[in-house]
Amino acid sequence: MKAHEYQAKQLLAEFGVPVPRCGVARTPAEAKRIAGELAGEVVIKAQVHAGGRGKAGGIKIVSSPDEAEQAAKAMLGSRLVTHQTGPQGVPVNVVLVTEAIDIERELYLGIVIDNVAGAPVIMASEAGGMDIEEIARTRPEKILKAYVDPTTGIRSYQTRRLAYGLNLKQEQIRPASDIIGNLYKLFQAKDCSLAEINPLAVARDGRLFAVDAKLNFDDNAAYRQKAVADLRDTSQEDPLEVEAKSKGIDNYVKLDGNIGCIVNGAGLAMAVLDLLKQAGGGAANFLDIGTMNDPERVVQAFRILTSDRDVKAVLVNIFGGMARVDIIAQGIVNASKQMEIKVPVVVRLAGTNVEQGERILKDSGLKLVRAYSFKEAAEKAVAAAKKSS
Amino acid sequence: MSILIDKKTRLLVQGITGGEGSFHTRRCVQYGTNVVAGVTPGKGGTDLDGIPVFNTVERAVAETGANTSIIFVPAAFAADAMLEAAEGGISLVVCITEGIPTLDMVVVQRYLKQKKVRLIGPNCPGLLSPGKSKVGIMSGDIFLEGNVGVVSRSGTLTYEAVSQLTALRIGQSTCVGLGGDPIIGTVFVDALELFQKDRQTEAVVLIGEIGGNQEQIAAEFIRKKMTKPVIAFVAGSSAPPGRRMGHAGAIITGSSGKAQEKIAALEAAGAAIAASPAEIGTTTQKVLASRR
């Protein structure tokens, strides 16, 4: 799960990381008022779950409350299209009005889990403002790292070493070291998967500020992070994904093809996408139906797929293990009774209780396109989608 | 031979009285696995089909000599269960549970490594040595005893691959499902090392997916240490970047973790690449035929 910049900054401030003075506006009038309170030059920043805001017109520097109002008016209620959003863009419902910092240097600070080390890694770099991947590509020697061993936790020698590595003045070492330590505390306390301050600005007056920040959270920890869950902004997500989640289908990702997919298991679901592409088609979604043995789950999946106007054919590919094929088959039958499925449905079943599943489909008299191997299923789905679109 | 589990496996089931726990315990027993004990705190002294249930792992190990544990407890308690197993003297821990917070796994993985306890998973289908033992949730009837090792990050895609092999009468030595989480106990390299040493195993099928770089590390191992042929498929060539594809570990971050990079690394290391997930069986058949 992602947080907005303004939410990330509120959390950073709570954990003792200095952020520029700022306020959150949902109307142009609010933006004007906050700009008046901050006085001087302020920055209006569109709050969206996407990078590349600056180039897309989502960040404006203004020098008066009236200009702040104008800038906020242009952003609020619009959809921002950046290189990360796709052509439909994402809605701007909130802008952050923040004091403009007179920046001398831009540093990078980030924490992620290093899968190979099996531990969180803190990365710091003097090449701030750039994407970390770009730094890694162009100036890899500029990335300093510190791994946090779970048995010792983070230690001050580590944050100090990183701070010294950033070529700061002696009087900035302590504040920088504290920022690194506090960012780590936030990372751990809130079960983050990514905590990033970029840039960490060194102001001309010598102070340090988190000028932009990004926090992502571990979905697996949602059960113990209720406050984090409240930060979720569904307006930033695909509506079909939001609907799927509300129906208990967590593993649905909208894609740009026209074949709706219902598969059990993440690996198999990914393989189905690959196979469809190789067969000359494209999946409209990734959907892992999971192992809950409940036909209603299948009905809900059909509901999502049939409300997706891109879907020209549905492919159900099930290899029963923990999930039972007969229950999936019953789900397909129930779905066709409860809703009008206008597109062809290709079904391939294998694994646990496949005979019972086949019988259920046969007895139902449903008009389905049947396939008996993985490849056949993909090819028939591609052909069906071409025919009906 | 086979790897990790065989006829000597004495299995303990943590969470044996739960829905999933009891269902899969019975299926393991049916397959021929020697299930010697179960643990559910508060249910000590009872039994499941004659399998004694204990309150603690320590007690269960002392009374039954269990050497392997399979975990079905809910995500919030799974870290504790893994640590208890390691502390209780179990040498192989298989964690089926899905949805364990990553920061919990950081602690667990480190502790088990220090204790020299092998962990499979979490968020995995477990493992199966055809004809010998099953410690997991894979459906036993699709397997055939033989000489091909299978190691995978996915569950159902493994079934698909195994059923393709079995349909071609290519048997398996052991199938290991490593799990779909970012931090897992046993990675490709560990499994490859075991398969390389195992006398029953002639070739290995490796099924990777997007996210992380364990496939690249495996490729390095294949190039330097493997004399047995490796057949590989990597799922997710068509997955979009930045999106979590079901598995918590299956996400392309920026330019890293892409299927294409993994496939290129494995191919350069000499692995035979199955171009399509429907061709894992036939690719293996070709590789085996060329060696005979």
Side-chain angles (χ1 to χ4, degrees), chain B residues 11 43 50 55 68 86 93 126 170 178 195-196 212 216-217 281 292:
Chain B
L11 188 65
K43 298 266 173 77
N55 288 322
T68 300
V93 179
I170 301 170
L178 302 175
F195 280 131
Q196 172 66 25
Q216 285 90 329
I217 298 172
R292 293 224 163 91

Side-chain angles (χ1 to χ4, degrees), chain A residues 121-249:
Chain A
V121 58
I122 307 175
M123 294 175 290
S125 175
E126 285 185 75
M130 284 202 276
D131 189 54
I132 186 68
E133 295 231 351
E134 201 181 325
I135 307 173
R137 206 168 41 244
T138 57
R139 307 164 76 183
E141 75 289 351
K142 286 284 178 193
I143 300 177
L144 309 167
K145 289 181 181 178
Y147 292 89
V148 182
D149 189 304
T151 47
T152 59
I154 190 166
R155 313 302 303 196
S156 36
Y157 78 86
Q158 294 180 299
T159 60
R160 215 162 43 229
R161 182 176 68 82
L162 293 176
Y164 277 113
L166 292 170
N167 282 317
L168 293 161
K169 297 193 180 98
Q170 183 53 44
E171 63 271 22
Q172 291 164 335
I173 295 297
R174 184 67 185 272
S177 182
D178 286 346
I179 288 172
I180 298 167
N182 290 335
L183 183 65
Y184 184 77
K185 279 183 197 138
L186 165 62
F187 182 87
Q188 191 168 39
K190 300 293 176 189
D191 277 300
C192 293
S193 53
L194 166 77
E196 189 177 72
I197 300 176
N198 189 22
L200 172 65
V202 181
R204 232 166 267 288
D205 63 11
R207 290 186 298 163
L208 298 168
F209 291 102
V211 162
D212 199 355
K214 198 165 157 188
L215 295 179
N216 291 350
F217 303 94
D218 178 5
D219 294 329
N220 285 354
Y223 73 89
R224 64 182 181 199
Q225 296 289 357
K226 302 285 185 245
V228 167
D230 292 340
L231 302 179
R232 184 167 173 221
D233 179 357
T234 51
S235 77
Q236 302 293 308
E237 299 169 23
D238 185 281
L240 283 167
E241 290 180 15
V242 175
E243 201 189 328
K245 205 166 237 175
S246 75
K247 294 191 153 83
I249 296 168

Side-chain angles (χ1 to χ4, degrees), chain A residues 46-115:
Chain A
Q47 298 298 289
V48 289
H49 287 182
R53 288 177 300 172
K55 281 186 188 138
I59 298 177
K60 284 260 156 51
I61 302 173
V62 297
S63 45
S64 75
D66 284 332
E67 280 179 37
E69 187 179 23
Q70 284 311 309
K73 198 172 175 184
M75 288 181 207
L76 287 165
S78 74
R79 293 184 78 89
L80 194 68
V81 179
T82 84
H83 71 276
Q84 289 187 355
T85 60
Q88 75 287 358
V90 279
V92 183
N93 302 318
V94 176
V95 295
L96 184 69
V97 184
T98 173
E99 73 174 312
I101 301 289
D102 189 6
I103 298 172
E104 192 179 80
R105 287 171 69 204
E106 291 188 329
L107 310 174
Y108 173 92
L109 204 56
I111 307 175
V112 292
I113 301 281
D114 183 311
N115 298 3

Side-chain angles (χ1 to χ4, degrees), chain A residues 113 116-118 133 149 218 220 223-224 241 251 253 255 264-265 267-268 271 273-275 277-278 286 319 322 348 374, chain B residues 20 24 76 99-102 104 106 110 154 156 160 163 183 213 236-238 240 243 245-246 253-255 275-276:
Chain A
I113 301 281
V116 177
E133 295 231 351
D149 189 304
D218 178 5
N220 285 354
Y223 73 89
R224 64 182 181 199
E241 290 180 15
N251 291 320
V253 178
L255 301 170
N264 68 320
L268 192 60
L273 310 189
D274 297 344
L275 205 51
K277 197 163 197 183
Q278 284 175 359
F286 168 96
F319 207 116
M322 191 114 109
R348 183 260 178 147
F374 198 12
Chain B
E20 299 289 341
H24 289 289
I100 302 168
T102 307
D104 285 5
V106 168
R110 189 63 57 109
S154 146
T156 47
E160 178 63 49
S163 74
I183 296 190
N213 62 345
S237 292
S238 54
R243 304 302 311 270
M245 304 303 277
T253 41
S255 63
S276 136

Side-chain angles (χ1 to χ4, degrees), chain B residues 269-289:
Chain B
I273 305 297
S276 136
E279 291 167 15
I280 299 171
T282 50
T283 308
T284 307
Q285 191 179 39
K286 270 182 217 144
V287 168
L288 291 176

Side-chain angles (χ1 to χ4, degrees), chain A residues 237-359:
Chain A
E237 299 169 23
D238 185 281
L240 283 167
E241 290 180 15
V242 175
E243 201 189 328
K245 205 166 237 175
S246 75
K247 294 191 153 83
I249 296 168
D250 291 335
N251 291 320
Y252 171 90
V253 178
K254 178 77 181 97
L255 301 170
D256 53 15
N258 63 6
I259 300 166
C261 298
I262 299 176
V263 187
N264 68 320
L268 192 60
M270 269 185 268
V272 165
L273 310 189
D274 297 344
L275 205 51
L276 286 173
K277 197 163 197 183
Q278 284 175 359
N285 64 276
F286 168 96
L287 192 159
D288 170 11
I289 193 90
T291 50
M292 286 270 270
N293 280 316
D294 179 4
E296 186 55 24
R297 190 61 75 98
V298 182
V299 175
Q300 297 297 4
F302 267 99
R303 249 185 241 293
I304 304 293
L305 263 51
T306 50
S307 59
D308 179 354
R309 280 190 292 178
D310 296 339
V311 170
K312 302 296 176 209
V314 171
L315 168 59
V316 183
N317 185 35
I318 301 293
F319 207 116
M322 191 114 109
R324 284 163 43 193
V325 169
D326 51 332
I327 290 172
I328 305 277
Q330 192 56 54
I332 298 172
V333 175
N334 294 358
S336 64
K337 279 182 189 151
Q338 291 177 32
M339 68 197 84
E340 193 190 356
I341 303 170
K342 291 180 190 151
V343 296
V345 178
V346 182
V347 182
R348 183 260 178 147
L349 304 174
T352 313
N353 290 2
V354 65
E355 294 82 14
Q356 293 94 311
E358 290 291 349
R359 197 168 325 120

